Every structure is written in structure tokens, then in C-alpha cells.
Amino acid sequence: VYIAVVKYSGEGRYLRIDTARGRLQYATAGSTYGHNAADRAFSVAAAAAPTGRAFTSTDSLESYSSDGPRKVFFNHNGVKIGASGYLSTGGVTLNKPDITAADATLSRWTALAYGESSFGGTSAAAPHAAAVAALMLEANPSLTRDEVFSILTTTTFSKPSWNRNKGYGIIDAYAAVEAAQENSGATPTIPGAPSVSIS
């Protein structure tokens, strides 16, 4: 199958092509899009949950996890960003994804709905990240959105600078909750793990 894109008329602009996991001979970085690429969203990449051990900084992403960055030409209200057109000089470039979380975990829901015990994809990684954020807010309800984001992105297993595949790295639930709990006096319990008192 061959795909050719030719500009017939009009202003030159970036164009997104989705091949439903097909591979193109010529491709550019930045496949993440939509709500997952929104400026204030927590964009989550997916890494398969290891068996019998914690994540490490060398764990790889799932092949279907979308990379970044993402070029955006309109604000959330539909107003065009800047006046430099729709090419590399226009709009803004967002560093997405932000973080990476586990997928391919056991799930009663997928077992009931699809007859499969494993829940995969970024649709699984995103709620795992959200669950860690919920534990952080349980430990310290006063945290703001930006504080939650800062903690999640600075307590990852590898603590790297941002890259277009993993964002700031694979989130570390214990480290994130510990950082959130500082100065709060709460004693959070992480489900499925021994009770821990974080001080």
C-alpha cells in the first residue's frame, strides 16, 4: 500500500497522518495528539509492568506508546497562536509525553469485558498515573496541580531530563507519595503493598 500526500493549494502547514499502527518509510517525531497532547494535561507513555520487581530506568516502552514532541497551533479556545503560519516557525512545541506509567497489568475489568486478564496500552498507563496522583493528594490534600506535576516528574525512577519517548521517566509511586507527604503529617497506605509510614 502506498500513501502520497500532495498539496493542491492553500497555505503550507503541518499535517498529521494516522496509519493505525502501520509504519511509514518517512516519518517525523511527535505522534502523540489530541487530549493527550493538551498543554495542561498529564501526557502518559506506557511501559510494560515488570514481573516480580520494581521498574528501573532502563525499562523500555511499549511499541505502541506515542512519542513527542507535539506542535500546537491553536489555544484551547480556538484562537491561533502567533502569526507565523502553520509550519515549524508557527505555534508552540509542547514537550509531550510528560511521564511514563505501567500498563500490561492484571485487570478484573478487562477479564470481564474482553476475556483478557491483561490491561494494556496508554489507556492503562494513564489511570495508573492518576492513581499515584490520587495517593499524593490523599497524603497532602493541599497540593496544587503544578505541585503534583512537579513531584511526579522529579521523582521518577531515572530522574532524567525530558525526552520525547518517556517524558521525565517512569513514575515512582513511593517516591512521589513520600515527596507529597512532606510537611503534612499524614500516613498514607499504598494498596497492595505493606503499610508504610512516610515521614
Side-chain angles (χ1 to χ4, degrees):
V1 176
Y2 293 90
I3 299 174
V5 179
V6 179
K7 187 180 85 169
Y8 177 75
S9 65
E11 184 179 356
R13 63 180 60 216
Y14 270 33
L15 178 68
R16 179 182 171 273
I17 300 176
D18 190 337
T19 58
R21 298 187 185 177
R23 295 187 179 266
L24 299 174
Q25 182 177 0
Y26 303 103
T28 58
S31 60
T32 188
Y33 75 102
H35 61 276
N36 195 36
D39 185 22
R40 300 283 290 170
F42 287 62
S43 179
V44 185
T51 302
R53 64 171 177 82
F55 274 112
T56 69
S57 61
T58 59
D59 283 314
S60 59
L61 294 179
E62 299 284 25
S63 61
Y64 42 72
S65 188
S66 297
D67 66 355
R70 186 73 225 164
K71 178 68 76 172
V72 176
F73 296 97
F74 295 91
N75 287 314
H76 64 279
N77 58 4
V79 176
K80 182 181 175 183
I81 299 171
S84 300
Y86 300 102
L87 298 177
S88 60
T89 54
V92 295
T93 301
L94 303 178
N95 285 341
K96 299 293 179 178
D98 298 301
I99 49 179
T100 300
D103 80 333
T105 57
L106 296 178
S107 169
R108 179 174 296 177
W109 177 80
T110 52
L112 292 173
Y114 301 105
E116 301 174 356
S117 60
S118 180
F119 183 23
T122 51
S123 295
H128 275 114
V132 174
L135 289 171
M136 292 166 59
L137 290 169
E138 179 184 29
N140 187 349
S142 67
L143 290 175
T144 65
R145 179 266 179 206
D146 289 342
E147 289 170 335
V148 170
F149 181 86
S150 177
I151 291 171
L152 282 176
T153 56
T154 57
T155 58
T156 59
F157 281 99
S158 50
K159 300 176 181 64
S161 58
W162 178 88
N163 74 67
R164 70 183 183 90
N165 295 309
K166 289 185 179 181
Y168 288 96
I170 302 171
I171 58 174
D172 182 340
Y174 286 99
V177 174
E178 182 176 22
Q181 200 269 340
E182 289 179 357
N183 303 318
S184 74
T187 305
T189 299
I190 298 179
S195 297
V196 291
S197 178
I198 300 174
S199 58

